[in-house]
Amino acid sequence: DSGVTQTPKHLITATGQRVTLRCSPRSGDLSVYWYQQSLDQGLQFLIQYYNGEERAKGNILERFSAQQFPDLHSELNLSSLELGDSALYFCASSAPRDLSSNYGYTFGSGTRLTVV
Amino acid sequence: AQSVAQPEDQVNVAEGNPLTVKCTYSVSGNPYLFWYVQYPNRGLQFLLKYITGDNLVKGSYGFEAEFNKSQTSFHLKKPSALVSDSALYFCAVRLMNSGYSTLTFGKGTMLLVSP
């Protein structure tokens, strides 16, 4: 157990629908990162939050949004889903100094989204 | 553009033989470089990192990586491969984005170790 919890583990939904993925970071970590992993695109950075505020944006579609709550858990909202959104979505967390001194990121086990 | 590249989609090696998984980077300034491993249906796990200092970095599970500034490379190595090393390996580099740092990953290299 890495300490980063993602729910649900699997999600199957239809095109056009909206889903919410949830992430609880490792205890004490203030930063949360969302990544999308697909066979053709590899591991793509979507968005980062730090202590409730958006810090960096990557290749995140406008149909996707995220937020980090006061208890530091984060949710990734995916709407108007398309077949191409089927992927593994990872959440990772880090403490402020982790990229310099420690393990970089700690990853959750991911949510596998299948859009049918 | 700043990035990291893994030129091989797959590496095949026999158990007991040495293995190398290649990574090259393109960043301005001093790079912070990482290797992660992903086993099936699992998240990424940290293997090792290079921040500064000795160019040969030792990590988990007997893996090591050599930072080569002149060749802008950070190849992952292991002297003797195990079947259990079969997994997807990612090289990553720290990039600054609007004053905050994030990790950018390569596309990954599948390592297959045959008995």
Side-chain angles (χ1 to χ4, degrees):
Chain A
D1 183 6
S2 68
V4 177
T5 303
Q6 288 188 249
T7 57
K9 292 193 183 305
H10 302 278
L11 199 50
I12 301 175
T13 189
T15 54
Q17 295 297 306
R18 172 189 167 96
V19 297
T20 296
L21 313 183
R22 182 187 169 102
C23 169
S24 294
R26 189 180 58 169
S27 179
D29 287 354
L30 300 180
S31 284
V32 169
Y33 311 81
W34 286 98
Y35 283 82
Q36 179 193 57
Q37 184 180 28
S38 59
L39 283 175
D40 54 342
Q41 295 290 327
L43 200 60
Q44 296 282 314
F45 168 67
L46 295 178
I47 197 164
Q48 175 198 2
Y49 278 82
Y50 176 82
N51 203 20
E53 294 187 12
E54 181 184 306
R55 281 294 187 237
K57 260 186 173 179
N59 300 319
I60 188 167
L61 300 172
E62 286 196 9
R63 300 184 285 110
F64 296 0
S65 64
Q67 52 185 330
Q68 186 179 27
F69 295 86
D71 67 352
L72 301 178
H73 91 271
S74 177
E75 293 181 356
L76 179 67
N77 300 296
L78 315 176
S79 61
S80 303
L81 284 167
E82 302 174 359
L83 295 177
D85 297 327
S86 296
L88 199 50
Y89 291 85
F90 284 108
C91 167
S93 72
S94 73
R97 296 183 185 280
D98 269 355
L99 286 188
S100 303
S101 62
N102 237 338
Y103 304 117
Y105 296 172
T106 300
F107 280 82
S109 296
T111 294
R112 182 171 295 282
L113 173 67
T114 303
V115 182
V116 297
Chain B
Q2 300 189 95
S3 64
V4 62
Q6 294 178 245
E8 302 156 317
D9 290 335
Q10 184 168 308
V11 170
N12 298 298
V13 64
E15 188 173 33
N17 284 358
L19 69 87
T20 298
V21 182
K22 295 179 180 178
C23 172
T24 59
Y25 65 89
S26 173
V27 299
S28 54
N30 296 319
Y32 287 18
L33 297 160
F34 299 78
W35 276 101
Y36 285 80
V37 60
Q38 184 182 22
Y39 297 101
N41 301 313
R42 302 287 296 277
L44 278 70
Q45 298 176 34
F46 170 83
L47 274 181
L48 51 80
K49 71 179 189 295
Y50 172 83
I51 305 297
T52 186
D54 194 348
N55 289 343
L56 186 62
V57 179
K58 294 190 182 298
S60 307
Y61 312 121
F63 283 93
E64 57 190 27
E66 186 171 9
F67 172 69
N68 188 318
K69 190 171 184 177
S70 62
Q71 297 186 4
T72 61
S73 67
F74 188 57
H75 300 333
L76 181 69
K77 300 181 180 184
K78 187 173 183 181
S80 178
L82 300 172
V83 172
S84 58
D85 292 330
S86 298
L88 186 58
Y89 290 81
F90 289 94
C91 181
V93 64
R94 185 190 75 157
L95 294 181
M96 299 304 294
N97 188 333
S98 303
Y100 298 93
S101 59
T102 59
L103 284 184
T104 290
F105 290 83
K107 288 206 164 186
T109 299
M110 179 64 72
L111 174 66
L112 294 176
V113 182
S114 56

